[in-house]
Amino acid sequence: MLPVSGVKARQKDILDARLWVKRNSLYLFLASLFIFATVSIIVYYVTPPASSVPAHAAPNAPPPSLPDEAMKQGAAAASVTNAATSELPKPVTEPDLRSMCIAFRSTASCSASGERRPDQDVGCDAEVTGSMSGSCHCSPQGANTFGVPFDCAPTDSPREAFTCAAVCLEAVTSKGGGT
């Protein structure tokens, strides 16, 4: 049993703790809210989505194999990190030349520098005819975006229809990346 002075000191400590909790309840609430939010974010980003793990897969089962076509593409890039764990082969990817094109931006007055007509813009694979003016906007990877201007073709010397995907590819390969 504690001496009387020890009991009074213990009671004082308990009262001080209760008083501190009463005065600092907002801080305790905010601290617990912060901890809850942090744990929720960690769980959200660490836990894989349900759709990426098949229901029939065992928790520690090896990942499923890639289809034959993907294996052919990724065979050269396969790497093993150590004997215990290996990664799936990474497919060898070539740059998507069609992704360099943004769109054909149409202009008025048969001039590439004319007033913009956004309602007449067309996609990269659409044919641009000789009666259209504007520019093919291109954005090669690792280079600045640029435009290749086109005025309307004169009626006495019409130009063939083209696509901006082909124009951007030609511009990038002839200019060394469009820069």
Side-chain angles (χ1 to χ4, degrees):
M1 188 159 157
L2 293 172
V4 176
S5 63
V7 171
K8 288 189 179 199
R10 176 86 175 126
Q11 288 175 344
K12 183 181 180 312
D13 289 343
I14 292 172
L15 287 174
D16 287 343
R18 287 181 182 166
L19 184 60
W20 185 89
V21 169
K22 210 180 240 187
R23 288 182 180 164
N24 297 302
S25 59
L26 178 62
Y27 297 117
L28 291 173
F29 172 75
L30 291 176
S32 56
L33 184 64
F34 174 77
I35 292 170
F36 174 77
T38 304
V39 169
S40 299
I41 290 170
I42 291 171
V43 168
Y44 178 78
Y45 284 106
V46 171
T47 307
S51 62
S52 69
V53 178
H56 64 278
N60 294 327
S65 62
L66 294 174
D68 290 338
E69 187 62 34
M71 290 298 282
K72 288 176 188 173
Q73 290 177 355
S79 64
V80 177
T81 54
N82 66 34
T85 62
S86 65
E87 295 178 357
L88 289 176
K90 294 179 181 160
V92 177
T93 58
E94 294 181 15
D96 182 9
L97 301 177
R98 293 162 36 110
S99 68
M100 291 188 287
C101 174
I102 298 172
F104 179 80
R105 306 290 191 212
S106 181
T107 57
S109 306
C110 275
S111 170
S113 60
E115 184 179 332
R116 281 274 295 120
R117 294 188 311 178
D119 58 314
Q120 300 292 317
D121 289 355
V122 295
C124 295
D125 293 324
E127 284 194 348
V128 177
T129 63
S131 63
M132 300 170 72
S133 66
S135 61
C136 289
H137 282 250
C138 310
S139 179
Q141 186 175 8
N144 293 331
T145 300
F146 63 95
V148 179
F150 291 95
D151 293 333
C152 291
T155 55
D156 58 337
S157 61
R159 71 169 178 247
E160 290 185 32
F162 60 87
T163 65
C164 281
V167 168
C168 288
L169 175 59
E170 174 66 28
V172 168
T173 54
S174 67
K175 294 181 181 180
T179 54

